[in-house]
Amino acid sequence: DEADSIKSSLTSMNIDFVSNGHDAASRYNSLYYEIKVQKKDYEKARTVIKSRQRKTLLESRQCPKCQNKD
């Protein structure tokens, strides 16, 4: 979900990218991915990626029953 959201944002900003997935589910129970952009688009892409990572972190900190973030 996180990688798809980032790719969608980059596409909407007309930033060309290459995305590689690294399925490590058997060992780490997760999915790793790599997104490569041109140097000229690096700062814009980094802003998008950092924003999505913050959102994911905040969403993961909520109570599974009541969705409270405190």
Side-chain angles (χ1 to χ4, degrees):
D1 183 47
E2 183 181 65
D4 290 338
S5 174
I6 290 169
K7 290 190 290 185
S8 176
S9 295
L10 294 175
T11 300
S12 70
M13 295 174 70
N14 295 321
I15 296 175
D16 292 328
F17 63 90
V18 174
S19 174
N20 297 312
H22 304 280
D23 189 0
S26 61
R27 294 191 340 175
Y28 300 109
N29 221 5
S30 64
L31 180 69
Y32 295 90
Y33 56 90
E34 172 184 57
I35 297 175
K36 294 182 180 183
V37 299
Q38 295 179 5
K39 284 184 181 183
K40 68 180 180 73
D41 295 324
Y42 176 78
E43 287 303 323
K44 287 192 282 185
R46 186 170 187 255
T47 301
V48 168
I49 292 166
K50 291 291 184 186
S51 174
R52 182 58 178 131
Q53 287 175 332
R54 280 191 296 275
K55 182 178 178 187
T56 298
L57 178 63
L58 289 175
E59 288 173 353
S60 69
R61 289 184 171 185
Q62 51 184 237
C63 174
K65 290 184 180 182
C66 70
Q67 307 306 317
N68 188 337
K69 294 182 181 177
D70 294 327

